[in-house]
PDB file of all heavy atoms in Angstrom:
ATOM      1  N   ILE A  11     104.199  93.510 119.254  1.00 98.00           N
ATOM      2  CA  ILE A  11     104.764  94.044 120.442  1.00 98.00           C
ATOM      3  C   ILE A  11     105.227  95.409 120.172  1.00 98.00           C
ATOM      4  O   ILE A  11     106.234  95.503 119.255  1.00 98.00           O
ATOM      5  CB  ILE A  11     105.775  93.221 121.113  1.00 98.00           C
ATOM      6  CG1 ILE A  11     105.272  91.891 121.550  1.00 98.00           C
ATOM      7  CG2 ILE A  11     106.488  93.959 122.226  1.00 98.00           C
ATOM      8  CD1 ILE A  11     105.444  90.782 120.666  1.00 98.00           C
ATOM      9  N   TRP A  12     104.811  96.452 120.703  1.00 96.00           N
ATOM     10  CA  TRP A  12     105.231  97.894 120.247  1.00 96.00           C
ATOM     11  C   TRP A  12     106.427  98.227 120.986  1.00 96.00           C
ATOM     12  O   TRP A  12     107.452  98.765 120.419  1.00 96.00           O
ATOM     13  CB  TRP A  12     104.134  98.786 120.561  1.00 96.00           C
ATOM     14  CG  TRP A  12     104.479 100.220 120.043  1.00 96.00           C
ATOM     15  CD1 TRP A  12     104.991 101.247 120.753  1.00 96.00           C
ATOM     16  CD2 TRP A  12     104.241 100.736 118.681  1.00 96.00           C
ATOM     17  NE1 TRP A  12     105.038 102.430 119.971  1.00 96.00           N
ATOM     18  CE2 TRP A  12     104.703 101.980 118.656  1.00 96.00           C
ATOM     19  CE3 TRP A  12     103.740 100.020 117.608  1.00 96.00           C
ATOM     20  CZ2 TRP A  12     104.602 102.772 117.545  1.00 96.00           C
ATOM     21  CZ3 TRP A  12     103.780 100.873 116.353  1.00 96.00           C
ATOM     22  CH2 TRP A  12     104.189 102.166 116.425  1.00 96.00           C
ATOM     23  N   CYS A  13     106.529  98.071 122.326  1.00 96.00           N
ATOM     24  CA  CYS A  13     107.608  98.522 123.074  1.00 96.00           C
ATOM     25  C   CYS A  13     108.718  97.485 123.301  1.00 96.00           C
ATOM     26  O   CYS A  13     108.538  96.450 123.935  1.00 96.00           O
ATOM     27  CB  CYS A  13     107.158  99.066 124.409  1.00 96.00           C
ATOM     28  SG  CYS A  13     106.301 100.676 124.456  1.00 96.00           S
ATOM     29  N   VAL A  14     109.856  97.730 122.667  1.00 97.00           N
ATOM     30  CA  VAL A  14     110.917  96.804 122.619  1.00 97.00           C
ATOM     31  C   VAL A  14     111.902  97.052 123.857  1.00 97.00           C
ATOM     32  O   VAL A  14     112.284  96.081 124.497  1.00 97.00           O
ATOM     33  CB  VAL A  14     111.727  96.894 121.392  1.00 97.00           C
ATOM     34  CG1 VAL A  14     112.835  95.921 121.259  1.00 97.00           C
ATOM     35  CG2 VAL A  14     110.875  96.539 120.129  1.00 97.00           C
ATOM     36  N   VAL A  15     112.245  98.257 124.136  1.00 96.00           N
ATOM     37  CA  VAL A  15     113.210  98.581 125.212  1.00 96.00           C
ATOM     38  C   VAL A  15     112.634  99.843 125.862  1.00 96.00           C
ATOM     39  O   VAL A  15     111.654 100.548 125.394  1.00 96.00           O
ATOM     40  CB  VAL A  15     114.541  99.013 124.725  1.00 96.00           C
ATOM     41  CG1 VAL A  15     115.144  97.724 124.145  1.00 96.00           C
ATOM     42  CG2 VAL A  15     114.545 100.065 123.759  1.00 96.00           C
ATOM     43  N   GLU A  16     113.147 100.012 127.095  1.00 96.00           N
ATOM     44  CA  GLU A  16     112.705 101.240 127.848  1.00 96.00           C
ATOM     45  C   GLU A  16     113.424 102.534 127.274  1.00 96.00           C
ATOM     46  O   GLU A  16     114.524 102.801 127.535  1.00 96.00           O
ATOM     47  CB  GLU A  16     113.090 101.054 129.245  1.00 96.00           C
ATOM     48  CG  GLU A  16     112.749 102.243 130.368  1.00 96.00           C
ATOM     49  CD  GLU A  16     113.300 102.128 131.663  1.00 96.00           C
ATOM     50  OE1 GLU A  16     113.851 101.015 132.021  1.00 96.00           O
ATOM     51  OE2 GLU A  16     113.212 103.016 132.436  1.00 96.00           O
ATOM     52  N   LYS A  17     112.710 103.192 126.544  1.00 93.00           N
ATOM     53  CA  LYS A  17     113.104 104.409 125.679  1.00 93.00           C
ATOM     54  C   LYS A  17     112.042 105.233 125.301  1.00 93.00           C
ATOM     55  O   LYS A  17     111.025 104.644 125.005  1.00 93.00           O
ATOM     56  CB  LYS A  17     113.981 103.930 124.534  1.00 93.00           C
ATOM     57  CG  LYS A  17     114.891 104.967 123.902  1.00 93.00           C
ATOM     58  CD  LYS A  17     115.541 104.317 122.759  1.00 93.00           C
ATOM     59  CE  LYS A  17     116.754 103.310 123.210  1.00 93.00           C
ATOM     60  NZ  LYS A  17     117.549 103.015 122.081  1.00 93.00           N
ATOM     61  N   GLY A  18     112.167 106.523 125.283  1.00 88.00           N
ATOM     62  CA  GLY A  18     111.126 107.434 124.795  1.00 88.00           C
ATOM     63  C   GLY A  18     109.759 107.127 125.676  1.00 88.00           C
ATOM     64  O   GLY A  18     109.743 107.306 126.825  1.00 88.00           O
ATOM     65  N   ALA A  19     108.619 106.918 124.819  1.00 88.00           N
ATOM     66  CA  ALA A  19     107.401 106.899 125.408  1.00 88.00           C
ATOM     67  C   ALA A  19     107.231 105.417 126.176  1.00 88.00           C
ATOM     68  O   ALA A  19     106.208 105.183 126.735  1.00 88.00           O
ATOM     69  CB  ALA A  19     106.289 107.134 124.416  1.00 88.00           C
ATOM     70  N   CYS A  20     108.086 104.418 125.924  1.00 93.00           N
ATOM     71  CA  CYS A  20     108.056 103.163 126.555  1.00 93.00           C
ATOM     72  C   CYS A  20     108.633 103.127 127.858  1.00 93.00           C
ATOM     73  O   CYS A  20     109.830 102.959 128.057  1.00 93.00           O
ATOM     74  CB  CYS A  20     108.688 102.180 125.574  1.00 93.00           C
ATOM     75  SG  CYS A  20     107.779 102.038 123.987  1.00 93.00           S
ATOM     76  N   ALA A  21     107.770 103.191 128.852  1.00 93.00           N
ATOM     77  CA  ALA A  21     108.288 102.979 130.233  1.00 93.00           C
ATOM     78  C   ALA A  21     108.546 101.595 130.610  1.00 93.00           C
ATOM     79  O   ALA A  21     108.030 100.699 129.863  1.00 93.00           O
ATOM     80  CB  ALA A  21     107.135 103.566 131.277  1.00 93.00           C
ATOM     81  N   ARG A  22     109.462 101.325 131.663  1.00 95.00           N
ATOM     82  CA  ARG A  22     109.731 100.153 132.023  1.00 95.00           C
ATOM     83  C   ARG A  22     108.596  99.087 132.357  1.00 95.00           C
ATOM     84  O   ARG A  22     108.660  97.948 131.930  1.00 95.00           O
ATOM     85  CB  ARG A  22     110.632 100.168 133.244  1.00 95.00           C
ATOM     86  CG  ARG A  22     111.080  98.759 133.823  1.00 95.00           C
ATOM     87  CD  ARG A  22     111.996  98.940 135.017  1.00 95.00           C
ATOM     88  NE  ARG A  22     113.027  99.854 134.844  1.00 95.00           N
ATOM     89  CZ  ARG A  22     113.987 100.179 135.795  1.00 95.00           C
ATOM     90  NH1 ARG A  22     113.815  99.679 137.096  1.00 95.00           N
ATOM     91  NH2 ARG A  22     115.046 100.888 135.497  1.00 95.00           N
ATOM     92  N   ASP A  23     107.620  99.628 132.947  1.00 95.00           N
ATOM     93  CA  ASP A  23     106.452  98.741 133.204  1.00 95.00           C
ATOM     94  C   ASP A  23     105.668  98.254 132.015  1.00 95.00           C
ATOM     95  O   ASP A  23     105.287  97.060 131.980  1.00 95.00           O
ATOM     96  CB  ASP A  23     105.514  99.324 134.290  1.00 95.00           C
ATOM     97  CG  ASP A  23     104.886 100.575 133.758  1.00 95.00           C
ATOM     98  OD1 ASP A  23     105.441 101.385 132.836  1.00 95.00           O
ATOM     99  OD2 ASP A  23     103.689 101.046 134.164  1.00 95.00           O
ATOM    100  N   ARG A  24     105.682  99.308 130.914  1.00 94.00           N
ATOM    101  CA  ARG A  24     104.982  98.728 129.740  1.00 94.00           C
ATOM    102  C   ARG A  24     105.880  97.750 129.023  1.00 94.00           C
ATOM    103  O   ARG A  24     105.300  96.862 128.452  1.00 94.00           O
ATOM    104  CB  ARG A  24     104.799  99.999 128.891  1.00 94.00           C
ATOM    105  CG  ARG A  24     104.163  99.500 127.557  1.00 94.00           C
ATOM    106  CD  ARG A  24     103.657 100.696 126.730  1.00 94.00           C
ATOM    107  NE  ARG A  24     103.184 100.134 125.442  1.00 94.00           N
ATOM    108  CZ  ARG A  24     102.607 100.786 124.396  1.00 94.00           C
ATOM    109  NH1 ARG A  24     102.208 102.051 124.792  1.00 94.00           N
ATOM    110  NH2 ARG A  24     102.204 100.255 123.331  1.00 94.00           N
ATOM    111  N   VAL A  25     107.176  97.883 128.891  1.00 97.00           N
ATOM    112  CA  VAL A  25     108.103  97.066 128.208  1.00 97.00           C
ATOM    113  C   VAL A  25     107.800  95.587 128.781  1.00 97.00           C
ATOM    114  O   VAL A  25     107.671  94.559 128.165  1.00 97.00           O
ATOM    115  CB  VAL A  25     109.511  97.542 128.244  1.00 97.00           C
ATOM    116  CG1 VAL A  25     110.416  96.420 127.714  1.00 97.00           C
ATOM    117  CG2 VAL A  25     109.727  98.803 127.639  1.00 97.00           C
ATOM    118  N   LYS A  26     107.798  95.608 130.327  1.00 97.00           N
ATOM    119  CA  LYS A  26     107.720  94.232 130.939  1.00 97.00           C
ATOM    120  C   LYS A  26     106.398  93.602 130.583  1.00 97.00           C
ATOM    121  O   LYS A  26     106.216  92.447 130.326  1.00 97.00           O
ATOM    122  CB  LYS A  26     107.982  94.333 132.324  1.00 97.00           C
ATOM    123  CG  LYS A  26     107.872  93.073 133.065  1.00 97.00           C
ATOM    124  CD  LYS A  26     108.164  93.217 134.560  1.00 97.00           C
ATOM    125  CE  LYS A  26     108.276  91.961 135.357  1.00 97.00           C
ATOM    126  NZ  LYS A  26     107.045  91.089 135.049  1.00 97.00           N
ATOM    127  N   ALA A  27     105.287  94.468 130.673  1.00 96.00           N
ATOM    128  CA  ALA A  27     104.003  94.040 130.563  1.00 96.00           C
ATOM    129  C   ALA A  27     103.757  93.463 129.120  1.00 96.00           C
ATOM    130  O   ALA A  27     103.169  92.494 128.937  1.00 96.00           O
ATOM    131  CB  ALA A  27     102.951  95.036 130.938  1.00 96.00           C
ATOM    132  N   GLU A  28     104.296  94.190 128.087  1.00 97.00           N
ATOM    133  CA  GLU A  28     103.949  93.715 126.783  1.00 97.00           C
ATOM    134  C   GLU A  28     104.762  92.263 126.535  1.00 97.00           C
ATOM    135  O   GLU A  28     104.136  91.445 125.960  1.00 97.00           O
ATOM    136  CB  GLU A  28     104.607  94.698 125.796  1.00 97.00           C
ATOM    137  CG  GLU A  28     103.793  95.927 125.600  1.00 97.00           C
ATOM    138  CD  GLU A  28     103.721  96.497 124.190  1.00 97.00           C
ATOM    139  OE1 GLU A  28     103.125  95.782 123.369  1.00 97.00           O
ATOM    140  OE2 GLU A  28     104.175  97.516 124.032  1.00 97.00           O
ATOM    141  N   PHE A  29     105.910  92.167 127.070  1.00 98.00           N
ATOM    142  CA  PHE A  29     106.667  90.903 126.917  1.00 98.00           C
ATOM    143  C   PHE A  29     105.833  89.757 127.574  1.00 98.00           C
ATOM    144  O   PHE A  29     105.592  88.732 127.140  1.00 98.00           O
ATOM    145  CB  PHE A  29     108.032  91.003 127.387  1.00 98.00           C
ATOM    146  CG  PHE A  29     108.903  89.686 127.203  1.00 98.00           C
ATOM    147  CD1 PHE A  29     109.554  89.507 126.016  1.00 98.00           C
ATOM    148  CD2 PHE A  29     108.925  88.734 128.130  1.00 98.00           C
ATOM    149  CE1 PHE A  29     110.270  88.373 125.814  1.00 98.00           C
ATOM    150  CE2 PHE A  29     109.681  87.506 127.986  1.00 98.00           C
ATOM    151  CZ  PHE A  29     110.334  87.433 126.691  1.00 98.00           C
ATOM    152  N   ASP A  30     105.461  90.049 128.875  1.00 98.00           N
ATOM    153  CA  ASP A  30     104.843  89.068 129.614  1.00 98.00           C
ATOM    154  C   ASP A  30     103.341  88.733 128.963  1.00 98.00           C
ATOM    155  O   ASP A  30     103.013  87.497 128.969  1.00 98.00           O
ATOM    156  CB  ASP A  30     104.491  89.580 131.106  1.00 98.00           C
ATOM    157  CG  ASP A  30     105.848  89.704 131.881  1.00 98.00           C
ATOM    158  OD1 ASP A  30     106.861  89.187 131.465  1.00 98.00           O
ATOM    159  OD2 ASP A  30     105.758  90.323 132.961  1.00 98.00           O
ATOM    160  N   ASN A  31     102.661  89.714 128.477  1.00 97.00           N
ATOM    161  CA  ASN A  31     101.464  89.381 127.860  1.00 97.00           C
ATOM    162  C   ASN A  31     101.555  88.699 126.600  1.00 97.00           C
ATOM    163  O   ASN A  31     100.799  87.724 126.226  1.00 97.00           O
ATOM    164  CB  ASN A  31     100.669  90.719 127.527  1.00 97.00           C
ATOM    165  CG  ASN A  31     100.146  91.412 128.805  1.00 97.00           C
ATOM    166  OD1 ASN A  31     100.042  90.998 129.778  1.00 97.00           O
ATOM    167  ND2 ASN A  31      99.795  92.756 128.523  1.00 97.00           N
ATOM    168  N   ALA A  32     102.658  88.939 125.864  1.00 98.00           N
ATOM    169  CA  ALA A  32     102.883  88.203 124.545  1.00 98.00           C
ATOM    170  C   ALA A  32     103.229  86.737 124.909  1.00 98.00           C
ATOM    171  O   ALA A  32     102.635  85.842 124.150  1.00 98.00           O
ATOM    172  CB  ALA A  32     104.055  88.798 123.942  1.00 98.00           C
ATOM    173  N   VAL A  33     103.999  86.360 125.955  1.00 98.00           N
ATOM    174  CA  VAL A  33     104.384  85.045 126.365  1.00 98.00           C
ATOM    175  C   VAL A  33     103.010  84.340 126.734  1.00 98.00           C
ATOM    176  O   VAL A  33     102.801  83.092 126.427  1.00 98.00           O
ATOM    177  CB  VAL A  33     105.359  84.948 127.427  1.00 98.00           C
ATOM    178  CG1 VAL A  33     105.714  83.680 127.868  1.00 98.00           C
ATOM    179  CG2 VAL A  33     106.769  85.648 126.758  1.00 98.00           C
ATOM    180  N   ALA A  34     102.316  85.084 127.496  1.00 98.00           N
ATOM    181  CA  ALA A  34     101.071  84.418 128.134  1.00 98.00           C
ATOM    182  C   ALA A  34     100.034  84.086 126.979  1.00 98.00           C
ATOM    183  O   ALA A  34      99.239  83.141 127.132  1.00 98.00           O
ATOM    184  CB  ALA A  34     100.276  85.353 129.097  1.00 98.00           C
ATOM    185  N   ALA A  35     100.064  84.790 125.870  1.00 98.00           N
ATOM    186  CA  ALA A  35      99.131  84.576 124.826  1.00 98.00           C
ATOM    187  C   ALA A  35      99.649  83.558 123.793  1.00 98.00           C
ATOM    188  O   ALA A  35      98.823  83.334 122.752  1.00 98.00           O
ATOM    189  CB  ALA A  35      98.817  85.855 124.106  1.00 98.00           C
ATOM    190  N   ALA A  36     100.768  82.924 123.981  1.00 97.00           N
ATOM    191  CA  ALA A  36     101.413  82.026 123.008  1.00 97.00           C
ATOM    192  C   ALA A  36     100.461  80.923 122.577  1.00 97.00           C
ATOM    193  O   ALA A  36     100.602  80.569 121.282  1.00 97.00           O
ATOM    194  CB  ALA A  36     102.714  81.547 123.543  1.00 97.00           C
ATOM    195  N   ARG A  37      99.658  80.472 123.313  1.00 97.00           N
ATOM    196  CA  ARG A  37      98.791  79.385 122.884  1.00 97.00           C
ATOM    197  C   ARG A  37      97.728  79.757 121.757  1.00 97.00           C
ATOM    198  O   ARG A  37      97.210  79.003 121.058  1.00 97.00           O
ATOM    199  CB  ARG A  37      97.910  78.779 124.116  1.00 97.00           C
ATOM    200  CG  ARG A  37      97.068  79.775 124.881  1.00 97.00           C
ATOM    201  CD  ARG A  37      96.378  79.113 125.991  1.00 97.00           C
ATOM    202  NE  ARG A  37      95.413  78.050 125.672  1.00 97.00           N
ATOM    203  CZ  ARG A  37      94.624  77.609 126.408  1.00 97.00           C
ATOM    204  NH1 ARG A  37      94.631  77.930 127.708  1.00 97.00           N
ATOM    205  NH2 ARG A  37      93.812  76.634 126.103  1.00 97.00           N
ATOM    206  N   TYR A  38      97.551  81.116 121.746  1.00 98.00           N
ATOM    207  CA  TYR A  38      96.584  81.622 120.732  1.00 98.00           C
ATOM    208  C   TYR A  38      97.311  82.245 119.546  1.00 98.00           C
ATOM    209  O   TYR A  38      96.694  82.674 118.649  1.00 98.00           O
ATOM    210  CB  TYR A  38      95.648  82.625 121.360  1.00 98.00           C
ATOM    211  CG  TYR A  38      95.052  82.228 122.610  1.00 98.00           C
ATOM    212  CD1 TYR A  38      95.463  82.811 123.828  1.00 98.00           C
ATOM    213  CD2 TYR A  38      93.930  81.330 122.614  1.00 98.00           C
ATOM    214  CE1 TYR A  38      94.873  82.357 125.064  1.00 98.00           C
ATOM    215  CE2 TYR A  38      93.334  81.039 123.771  1.00 98.00           C
ATOM    216  CZ  TYR A  38      93.823  81.534 124.990  1.00 98.00           C
ATOM    217  OH  TYR A  38      93.135  81.082 126.184  1.00 98.00           O
ATOM    218  N   VAL A  39      98.565  82.289 119.503  1.00 97.00           N
ATOM    219  CA  VAL A  39      99.360  83.119 118.584  1.00 97.00           C
ATOM    220  C   VAL A  39     100.087  82.194 117.662  1.00 97.00           C
ATOM    221  O   VAL A  39     100.727  81.169 118.042  1.00 97.00           O
ATOM    222  CB  VAL A  39     100.414  84.025 119.365  1.00 97.00           C
ATOM    223  CG1 VAL A  39     101.280  84.747 118.349  1.00 97.00           C
ATOM    224  CG2 VAL A  39      99.533  85.041 120.073  1.00 97.00           C
ATOM    225  N   ASP A  40     100.110  82.508 116.250  1.00 95.00           N
ATOM    226  CA  ASP A  40     100.864  81.723 115.369  1.00 95.00           C
ATOM    227  C   ASP A  40     102.285  82.362 115.207  1.00 95.00           C
ATOM    228  O   ASP A  40     103.207  81.564 114.863  1.00 95.00           O
ATOM    229  CB  ASP A  40     100.169  81.715 114.081  1.00 95.00           C
ATOM    230  CG  ASP A  40      98.785  80.980 114.183  1.00 95.00           C
ATOM    231  OD1 ASP A  40      98.774  79.706 114.279  1.00 95.00           O
ATOM    232  OD2 ASP A  40      97.667  81.743 114.021  1.00 95.00           O
ATOM    233  N   ALA A  41     102.471  83.615 115.295  1.00 96.00           N
ATOM    234  CA  ALA A  41     103.695  84.261 115.087  1.00 96.00           C
ATOM    235  C   ALA A  41     103.714  85.626 115.783  1.00 96.00           C
ATOM    236  O   ALA A  41     102.506  86.152 116.102  1.00 96.00           O
ATOM    237  CB  ALA A  41     104.129  84.382 113.686  1.00 96.00           C
ATOM    238  N   TYR A  42     104.772  86.232 116.046  1.00 97.00           N
ATOM    239  CA  TYR A  42     104.946  87.525 116.549  1.00 97.00           C
ATOM    240  C   TYR A  42     105.669  88.533 115.717  1.00 97.00           C
ATOM    241  O   TYR A  42     106.588  88.093 114.911  1.00 97.00           O
ATOM    242  CB  TYR A  42     105.687  87.538 117.837  1.00 97.00           C
ATOM    243  CG  TYR A  42     104.977  86.692 119.041  1.00 97.00           C
ATOM    244  CD1 TYR A  42     105.306  85.290 119.105  1.00 97.00           C
ATOM    245  CD2 TYR A  42     104.238  87.357 119.912  1.00 97.00           C
ATOM    246  CE1 TYR A  42     104.742  84.568 120.174  1.00 97.00           C
ATOM    247  CE2 TYR A  42     103.499  86.415 120.888  1.00 97.00           C
ATOM    248  CZ  TYR A  42     103.921  85.186 121.051  1.00 97.00           C
ATOM    249  OH  TYR A  42     103.244  84.462 121.990  1.00 97.00           O
ATOM    250  N   VAL A  43     105.206  89.800 115.768  1.00 97.00           N
ATOM    251  CA  VAL A  43     106.029  90.787 115.031  1.00 97.00           C
ATOM    252  C   VAL A  43     106.471  91.971 116.124  1.00 97.00           C
ATOM    253  O   VAL A  43     105.671  92.477 116.834  1.00 97.00           O
ATOM    254  CB  VAL A  43     105.269  91.437 113.907  1.00 97.00           C
ATOM    255  CG1 VAL A  43     103.865  91.969 114.403  1.00 97.00           C
ATOM    256  CG2 VAL A  43     106.184  92.691 113.168  1.00 97.00           C
ATOM    257  N   VAL A  44     107.673  92.049 116.273  1.00 98.00           N
ATOM    258  CA  VAL A  44     108.248  92.898 117.310  1.00 98.00           C
ATOM    259  C   VAL A  44     108.610  94.277 116.761  1.00 98.00           C
ATOM    260  O   VAL A  44     109.466  94.350 115.819  1.00 98.00           O
ATOM    261  CB  VAL A  44     109.464  92.325 117.945  1.00 98.00           C
ATOM    262  CG1 VAL A  44     110.091  93.204 118.906  1.00 98.00           C
ATOM    263  CG2 VAL A  44     109.176  90.905 118.543  1.00 98.00           C
ATOM    264  N   GLY A  45     108.078  95.318 117.259  1.00 96.00           N
ATOM    265  CA  GLY A  45     108.299  96.607 116.743  1.00 96.00           C
ATOM    266  C   GLY A  45     107.561  96.892 115.430  1.00 96.00           C
ATOM    267  O   GLY A  45     107.016  95.990 114.790  1.00 96.00           O
ATOM    268  N   ASN A  46     107.668  98.185 115.010  1.00 93.00           N
ATOM    269  CA  ASN A  46     107.036  98.530 113.792  1.00 93.00           C
ATOM    270  C   ASN A  46     107.577  99.832 113.373  1.00 93.00           C
ATOM    271  O   ASN A  46     107.470 100.865 113.984  1.00 93.00           O
ATOM    272  CB  ASN A  46     105.543  98.652 114.022  1.00 93.00           C
ATOM    273  CG  ASN A  46     104.803  99.152 112.884  1.00 93.00           C
ATOM    274  OD1 ASN A  46     104.663 100.280 112.394  1.00 93.00           O
ATOM    275  ND2 ASN A  46     103.974  98.269 112.118  1.00 93.00           N
ATOM    276  N   GLU A  47     108.281  99.783 112.202  1.00 93.00           N
ATOM    277  CA  GLU A  47     108.982 101.036 111.754  1.00 93.00           C
ATOM    278  C   GLU A  47     109.712 101.784 112.677  1.00 93.00           C
ATOM    279  O   GLU A  47     109.685 103.070 112.770  1.00 93.00           O
ATOM    280  CB  GLU A  47     107.880 101.865 111.033  1.00 93.00           C
ATOM    281  CG  GLU A  47     107.114 101.130 109.996  1.00 93.00           C
ATOM    282  CD  GLU A  47     106.067 102.124 109.328  1.00 93.00           C
ATOM    283  OE1 GLU A  47     106.421 103.000 108.378  1.00 93.00           O
ATOM    284  OE2 GLU A  47     104.917 102.003 109.759  1.00 93.00           O
ATOM    285  N   GLY A  48     110.501 101.022 113.422  1.00 94.00           N
ATOM    286  CA  GLY A  48     111.298 101.780 114.612  1.00 94.00           C
ATOM    287  C   GLY A  48     112.773 101.890 114.441  1.00 94.00           C
ATOM    288  O   GLY A  48     113.335 102.637 115.172  1.00 94.00           O
ATOM    289  N   LEU A  49     113.381 101.139 113.444  1.00 95.00           N
ATOM    290  CA  LEU A  49     114.817 101.196 113.389  1.00 95.00           C
ATOM    291  C   LEU A  49     115.275 102.715 112.985  1.00 95.00           C
ATOM    292  O   LEU A  49     116.562 102.917 113.233  1.00 95.00           O
ATOM    293  CB  LEU A  49     115.177 100.262 112.316  1.00 95.00           C
ATOM    294  CG  LEU A  49     115.187  98.778 112.844  1.00 95.00           C
ATOM    295  CD1 LEU A  49     115.737  97.813 111.825  1.00 95.00           C
ATOM    296  CD2 LEU A  49     116.125  98.577 114.108  1.00 95.00           C
ATOM    297  N   ASP A  50     114.459 103.482 112.243  1.00 90.00           N
ATOM    298  CA  ASP A  50     114.990 104.748 111.918  1.00 90.00           C
ATOM    299  C   ASP A  50     114.733 105.877 112.954  1.00 90.00           C
ATOM    300  O   ASP A  50     114.990 107.019 112.822  1.00 90.00           O
ATOM    301  CB  ASP A  50     114.304 105.196 110.604  1.00 90.00           C
ATOM    302  CG  ASP A  50     114.769 104.325 109.454  1.00 90.00           C
ATOM    303  OD1 ASP A  50     115.976 103.911 109.511  1.00 90.00           O
ATOM    304  OD2 ASP A  50     113.983 104.221 108.405  1.00 90.00           O
ATOM    305  N   ASP A  51     114.158 105.476 114.083  1.00 92.00           N
ATOM    306  CA  ASP A  51     113.635 106.374 115.135  1.00 92.00           C
ATOM    307  C   ASP A  51     114.586 106.105 116.335  1.00 92.00           C
ATOM    308  O   ASP A  51     114.421 105.048 117.037  1.00 92.00           O
ATOM    309  CB  ASP A  51     112.323 106.112 115.461  1.00 92.00           C
ATOM    310  CG  ASP A  51     111.740 107.160 116.451  1.00 92.00           C
ATOM    311  OD1 ASP A  51     112.610 107.898 117.047  1.00 92.00           O
ATOM    312  OD2 ASP A  51     110.488 107.198 116.741  1.00 92.00           O
TER     313      ASP A  51
END
């Protein structure tokens, strides 16, 4: 999941869609990784 919060290039609709899509895909997923090299940005 790339967009964690509504900030910078991550608009509100994308943040919501990424979360909803991740939840919807749970039956196919073994684990999730939220964000990527973002704490310093």
Side-chain angles (χ1 to χ4, degrees):
I11 295 94
W12 186 264
C13 284
V14 176
V15 294
E16 183 185 349
K17 192 181 292 186
C20 292
R22 179 181 301 178
D23 61 338
R24 173 166 177 174
V25 174
K26 182 180 186 305
E28 285 217 65
F29 185 87
D30 291 347
N31 289 345
V33 173
R37 62 183 293 191
Y38 307 108
V39 173
D40 296 291
Y42 296 91
V43 55
V44 176
N46 180 277
E47 300 179 80
L49 286 175
D50 291 331
D51 185 350

